[in-house]
Amino acid sequence: MDDRPLMDEDPSLGLAVPAPPSPAAARAEPALARLAAAAGPLRRVLAAIAARLLDTRAWEPLCYARLGDYARERAGRSARQLQDLARTHRALAGLPRLERALVANELPWSKVRLLARVAAPGDEAAWIARARALPIRRLEEQVAAHDPRGAAGGGDDPGGAVPLARVTVHCSPAVRARWLEAREMAERVAGQRLRAAEALEWVAAEVWSELAAPPSPAAPEEPAAGEPHDLVRADAEAAVAASAAGEAEALAGSPRAPAAALRAAVAALATGLGEADPFELDRRLRRAVQLEQTLDAAIAPLLRVVTSADYEWERAWQPLASYAAEQLGMSASKARALLRIERAGDVCPELRAAFRSGRLSWAKAQCLLPLLLLDLDGEWRPHWVAWAERVTVRRLEMDVERALLLRAGHHFAWQLCKFHPERTRDAIPAGEQQLCAPDLDLEASERLRWRLPRDVALLFGAVRETLRARLERERGRPVFDGEVFGVLLGRALAAWSLREPAAPRLDPVIERDGWRCAVPGCSSRRNLHDHHVRFRSAGGSHAPENRITLCAFHHQRCLHARRMRVRGRAPGHLVFELGVRPGAPPLARYRSGDVAVPPGEPGPGARTAWA
C-alpha cells in the first residue's frame, strides 16, 4: 500500500456524516440536494484524471499489467467505470455548455453522461433543454434512438444494456465448494480472470458439448412481479430514528455547507494535470475517489431517511430509481449499494468509518457486506474490516467467499476464521483440507444466485434440464437442483482434469502458485514464467524456494525493467515492491498472500531480485 494517506489534509472537508433524523423530518431533501450539487465539479475532475490516466497508460509504470487490475486495487472501481469517465471527459471538451450545466448542477451526472454520447456543438443547446424537461428514462430512450450505445451502462452500474435474467440454485455447502473449485478451474482453462457469469458459461458449455440430446431450454427465473427490492423496503424501525438527528439538521441548516473546502480540493486536483506523471496521477485519482466516498458517506444516511415508510416528502413521493438518477446523478444500483453500506454500519461502525475515510475502497466495502450482514453475535466484524484494509481486493474476495462457505458447513473452522481472517485459508484442520470433506453438513441450506445474460441463462437452463432428465431416468426418482448442479460441475471438472492425459507435467512452481501470477493484485493466468527470485547469474539456486510464478508483463516489463523488486523465500516469505523509482519509496509493498506491508516496516533480510 502507498505509505501516504489518500488525503494530505482533513478527509472530511467539513462534511458531517448525518445520522438519519426522524423520518417525518423535512430536512433530508434539501441536504441531499446540496450534497448532489457538490458532486458535479468533483465528477468532472475525476473524469479528467481518468482520461489522462488512460491516454498515458499510467498503470503500466506502476506495475499493473492491465487497467482492470489497477482500477480495482488502487481505486476500488472497475475498468469500465474509468473508461466511461474518460469517454465523457473527451466529449465534454467540445461541449462547453454541457460542461457548465454539470459544474453548475443544472444537470446531474446521470444525464450528462448520456448527452455526451450524442450531443454535438450544433445541437448541444437543444439536447440540454430536452434533458431538463424529460425524466431520465425518457431521455435514455431518446438517446438510444440516436445512438444505440446511448443507454448503455458503465457509470455507476456494473452491467450494460444486455438483457439479464436471474438464476438461483439451492444446494449443499459441498456443492458450493465444488462451484468454487470449478470457477477456479474455468479461469485456468480460459487463461484469465472470469466473472461468475462467465465461469458458469464455461462450465455449461463444457458439459453441453458432452450431451447428445437436443436442448430443451428452461425459462430463466425472473423476479416476482411487484416484489420490492430488499434495500428499498421501508425501514421505519426504531433504530433508524434513534441513530439520528442532530448532525443531519446541522448539515441541512448550514448555509455554507462544505462547498468552499470541497471547491479548493477539487481545484487542486485539476491544477497542472497535463504534466502529472503516473505516480502523481495515481495520487490524484485516489484522492478524488476518497472525496467522492466522503460525499457518498454523507448521502447514505439521508437516502435511508427518504426511503423509510413514514417519510413525508416535500413534494410527491419518488421511487428510489428515479430520485437517485434525477436528483442525485447516480444510478439506482449505486443508491441501493450505499443503503447496504449504511445498514451494515449499524452492526459494524468500523465499516462506515473506514469507508468514509478512504481506508476501505468501494470494491472492498461491497465485498465485505455479505459477511458483515450475517446475523451472528460477537465482536468479530471489526477484525474483518481491519483485515480488508491490509489485503488486496483479490485476496479479500477469496477469503470472504471461503468464510461464507465455512460458516455454512464447518462450524469449528468458522469459529477460528471469524476472529482471525488471516486463518481462513488454513482454518480446516489437516486431513480435512478438501472443502467437500465428510465433516461438512450436507443438509445446510446454501443459495447461489447469478444475474446472467439471457442467452447464458438459457444455455444453463438447457444443460441443467437435459442432465436432470438423464439422472432421473438413471436413478428412478426426482433429482433436485442442488444434485443436478453438483453432477454438472463434476462433469466439467472431470473433463478439464482429464484433458490431454498424456501431456507432460507442467512446471511444479506454476502449479504450486495456483496457475496465476504471484504479484499481488495481478489477475494474469496466461503467459506465465518460472522466475528465480535471486538470479542464477548472481548465484541463485534452482530450488523451489528461490522460484515464483510471474506473468510476462511483470517479469519482463517490471522486474527486469527495475520497476519492481521481489525478495525473500518462496512461496510464503516474499516481499513485493511495486512502482519502484529512484529517490522515492515504492508505490506499494506487499508480503506473500497479498498482505500489505505497514509503512516503515523493514522487509526480509534476503537480497533483492536484482543482481
Side-chain angles (χ1 to χ4, degrees), residues 241-262:
S243 63
E247 286 187 338
E249 294 190 5
L251 175 63
S254 171
R256 65 174 184 85
L262 187 58

Side-chain angles (χ1 to χ4, degrees), residues 103-114:
V103 175
N105 196 41
E106 296 172 8
L107 287 179
W109 173 261
S110 53
K111 291 185 175 181
V112 169
R113 61 176 293 271
L114 282 174

Side-chain angles (χ1 to χ4, degrees), residues 13-349:
L13 296 179
L15 278 170
V17 177
S22 168
R27 293 290 188 92
E29 291 165 80
L32 279 169
R34 273 192 290 276
L35 291 170
L42 176 59
R43 185 58 69 96
R44 180 67 188 92
V45 171
L46 189 56
I49 296 172
R52 172 71 177 164
L53 188 139
L54 266 66
D55 291 343
T56 60
R57 299 183 67 85
W59 60 89
E60 292 183 352
L62 305 180
C63 294
Y64 287 89
R66 52 191 59 81
L67 175 62
D69 293 346
Y70 170 80
R72 186 174 59 144
E73 297 295 345
R74 297 294 293 176
R77 299 294 195 269
S78 68
R80 185 175 183 177
Q81 288 171 322
L82 293 187
Q83 290 165 344
D84 185 79
L85 286 165
R87 178 194 58 77
T88 304
H89 165 78
R90 297 185 188 108
L92 291 178
L95 302 170
R97 294 181 182 178
L98 185 58
E99 182 178 23
R100 286 196 297 270
L102 171 66
V103 175
N105 196 41
E106 296 172 8
L107 287 179
W109 173 261
S110 53
K111 291 185 175 181
V112 169
R113 61 176 293 271
L114 282 174
L115 297 191
R117 292 186 178 275
V118 294
D123 59 5
E124 180 183 6
W127 274 111
I128 292 175
R130 195 177 304 180
R132 287 171 177 162
L134 294 177
I136 186 71
R137 293 201 176 278
R138 290 284 307 279
L139 184 63
E140 285 176 348
E141 294 171 359
Q142 295 204 12
V143 168
H146 286 76
D147 180 0
R149 303 170 303 160
D156 295 320
D157 295 305
V162 179
L164 300 177
R166 183 182 299 168
V167 172
T168 303
V169 173
H170 295 272
C171 62
S172 68
V175 173
R176 181 175 177 178
R178 183 171 289 183
W179 159 241
L180 299 183
E181 183 182 357
R183 184 172 176 180
E184 165 74 15
M185 186 65 75
E187 291 186 345
R188 295 184 184 183
V189 173
Q192 63 187 38
R193 186 173 180 268
L194 299 175
R195 294 191 295 269
E198 295 170 331
L200 192 64
E201 182 178 9
W202 275 79
V203 169
E206 180 65 44
V207 176
W208 183 244
S209 66
E210 299 180 5
L211 298 177
S216 176
E221 177 185 336
E222 297 286 353
E227 180 183 33
H229 193 287
D230 290 343
L231 295 173
V232 191
R233 285 189 184 137
D235 186 3
E237 302 172 359
V240 178
S243 63
E247 286 187 338
E249 294 190 5
L251 175 63
S254 171
R256 65 174 184 85
L262 187 58
R263 278 199 301 269
V266 170
L269 292 174
T271 303
L273 187 59
E275 291 74 41
D277 65 12
F279 291 87
E280 177 63 15
L281 285 174
D282 172 76
R283 189 190 69 82
R284 295 193 190 198
L285 177 67
R286 283 162 55 82
R287 186 173 176 183
V289 166
Q290 194 276 339
L291 285 171
E292 189 175 51
Q293 287 189 191
T294 299
L295 283 174
D296 290 341
I299 287 172
L302 295 170
L303 272 180
R304 192 172 178 183
V305 173
V306 298
T307 55
S308 61
D310 51 349
Y311 177 74
E312 297 179 4
W313 288 79
E314 293 186 352
R315 298 182 179 85
W317 173 83
Q318 301 180 63
L320 180 62
S322 61
Y323 181 73
E326 298 283 350
Q327 304 299 327
L328 306 180
M330 67 175 64
S331 67
S333 63
K334 180 175 180 179
R336 290 193 292 265
L338 285 176
L339 283 170
R340 197 156 52 233
I341 292 175
E342 176 61 24
R343 288 186 175 126
D346 290 347
V347 295
C348 184

Side-chain angles (χ1 to χ4, degrees), residues 382-391 395-396 399 421-422 424 593 595:
H383 296 280
W384 277 91
V385 174
W387 179 243
E389 294 179 26
R390 296 176 55 199
V391 299
R395 171 69 185 267
L396 184 63
D399 287 348
E422 69 279 6
T424 303
V595 180

